């Protein structure tokens, strides 16, 4: 993907919900790549496994996994995302879970737009390799 990366200051000037908009796609793509490389299976099974890992409930748990591993700047971005005021909460998630999921997506968007791909991979690895993931039945 050929895209100009932003400085930390430029990226921080974007609203947390705008960063979460991008981060949602980044996180979703990383999950899809992980599942594809983990197992070659029918698309319907891949989709079912993906849904379990991109839902607000799982992302809220992922928030806890990475929270203590963040730099001060990353933690500030995470908190901005958590405190952002969105208009809607999906039926399948409570407000607290949804805010924490938005925070995770905000951080992923921020790291992507600033070109911190190595850090993105590291944080994603913490999430995927956590005991939480080992105990989840994701169908892979």
């Amino acid at each position: 993907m050929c895209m100009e990366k932003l400085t930390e200051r430029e990226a921080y000037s974007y609203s947390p919900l705008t960063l979460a908009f991008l981060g949602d796609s980044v996180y979703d793509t990383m999950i899809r790549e992980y599942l594809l490389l983990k197992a070659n299976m029918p698309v319907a099974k891949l989709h079912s496994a993906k849904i379990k890992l991109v839902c607000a409930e799982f992302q809220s748990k992922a928030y806890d996994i990475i929270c203590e591993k963040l730099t001060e700047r990353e933690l500030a971005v995470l908190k901005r995302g958590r405190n952002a005021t969105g208009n809607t909460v999906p039926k399948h998630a409570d407000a607290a879970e949804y805010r924490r999921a938005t925070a995770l997506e905000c951080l992923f968007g921020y790291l992507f737009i600033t070109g911190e791909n190595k850090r993105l991979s590291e944080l994603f690895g913490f999430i995927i390799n956590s005991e939480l993931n080992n105990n989840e039945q994701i169908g892979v």
Side-chain angles (χ1 to χ4, degrees):
M1 194 176 303
C2 185
M3 187 174 103
E4 182 180 333
K5 300 303 175 186
L6 302 180
T7 66
E8 286 185 2
R9 185 176 183 178
E10 290 169 331
Y12 203 77
S13 72
Y14 281 81
S15 81
L17 295 178
T18 300
L19 293 172
F21 169 77
L22 175 61
D24 175 54
S25 176
V26 171
Y27 180 81
D28 187 81
T29 300
M30 293 177 87
I31 289 293
R32 287 170 185 254
E33 180 182 16
Y34 165 77
L35 291 172
L36 183 76
L37 295 175
K38 184 98 172 150
N40 186 6
M41 63 177 77
V43 174
K45 287 187 178 185
L46 286 170
H47 180 73
S48 294
K50 180 201 75 125
I51 294 299
K52 293 176 184 176
L53 297 173
V54 299
C55 69
E57 180 184 2
F58 186 86
Q59 287 182 338
S60 178
K61 292 174 184 175
Y63 174 105
D64 287 331
I65 293 166
I66 65 166
C67 203
E68 293 185 16
K69 297 169 175 38
L70 301 178
T71 66
E72 286 183 37
R73 184 62 148 178
E74 292 166 347
L75 194 55
V77 172
L78 190 76
K79 288 179 180 179
R80 281 185 71 216
R82 185 193 63 207
N83 296 332
T85 55
N87 294 336
T88 61
V89 175
K91 294 176 190 174
H92 59 277
D94 66 37
E97 281 180 340
Y98 189 68
R99 286 179 176 266
R100 291 158 55 94
T102 300
L104 181 75
E105 292 170 350
C106 178
L107 178 61
F108 273 56
Y110 174 84
L111 291 172
F112 181 81
I113 202 97
T114 57
E116 295 291 331
N117 295 331
K118 184 176 177 184
R119 183 63 171 153
L120 260 174
S121 295
E122 182 179 17
L123 293 176
F124 185 76
F126 290 139
I127 294 167
I128 285 302
N129 296 317
S130 71
E131 281 193 46
L132 168 69
N133 187 46
N134 293 334
N135 293 331
E136 290 288 322
Q137 296 296 325
I138 60 170
V140 179

